[in-house]
Amino acid sequence: MTTWLLLAGAGGAGWYWHLVAQRLRARGDDVVAPDLPADDPSAGIPRYVEVALAALGDRSDVVVVGSSLGGPSAAEIARTTPVRRLVLVNAMIPAVGESPGDWWTASGHEEVKEAAVRAAGREDAGFDEEWEFLHDVPADVVAAGAEHQREQTDGPFRDGWSLPAWPDVPVTVVVGRDDRFFPADFQVRLARERAGVEAVVIPGGHLLALANPDGLTRALVDAVSDPARTGSESAPPLAQ
């Protein structure tokens, strides 16, 4: 039995994973999807990791999965805790020595995002949650999620934490083909440069666990059952 430790992105709501969790549990797997302390401005990545590991307890045969802002926490858990595999889903793939606050510029995201916005003809539209995040999430799921939303403070972006070393475990990167926040080509490049793997690209936007839970569940299961299929056993990460 696989234990899945699922870490959400901004807002830290474990509810984000509920559709995927249902599907994984139906297979007989164990799922831990903790609420992370996103609304605590004093909490940075080390605290997120502490909360996640407390929820995990002494479970074994663990695959840690990080979505978006959950990526750095998942990578740190994979570095320090015995896990079978690290899976990064539309994630902020960290580089060694780079803080989450520096990620936006160092990764090239700012330029990529500006180009994507221009290409969509939205230069003067400003931030639009519907366009960036909810465009492919069913309306009933969006409505159900309202009560689970919490403010994301800047704790992880200003606490100065950075990844000390790349985790010595197999890595899979799953990318949403239709992600408007982290465009797919950008993510594929980071997967090669930072994780040393070819990304698995599936239909769906940034909130893959809500927009395409069937496809994401298949990608997660494939990652642990057929590593060669994911391309996750390729070269080690490039030097930063």
Side-chain angles (χ1 to χ4, degrees), residues 65-83:
V65 183
S67 174
S68 196
L69 178 56
S73 298
E76 178 66 359
I77 288 171
R79 186 185 72 85
T80 60
T81 306
V83 302

Side-chain angles (χ1 to χ4, degrees), residues 216-228:
L216 180 53
T217 302
R218 283 194 297 271
L220 295 179
V221 171
D222 285 345
V224 298
S225 62
D226 186 7

Side-chain angles (χ1 to χ4, degrees), residues 10-12 35-48 50-51 69 150-159:
D35 289 330
L36 301 176
D39 52 358
D40 180 356
S42 69
I45 298 300
R47 177 60 181 155
Y48 286 34
E50 181 181 6
V51 169
L69 178 56
R150 290 183 298 164
E151 178 186 3
Q152 175 62 56
T153 67
D154 63 354
F157 303 110
R158 60 176 177 79
D159 73 339

Side-chain angles (χ1 to χ4, degrees), residues 1 3-4 30-32 52-62 81-82:
M1 178 181 70
T3 297
W4 299 91
D30 190 10
V31 177
V32 179
L53 291 179
L56 181 65
D58 61 358
R59 292 173 176 85
S60 60
D61 197 19
V62 177
T81 306

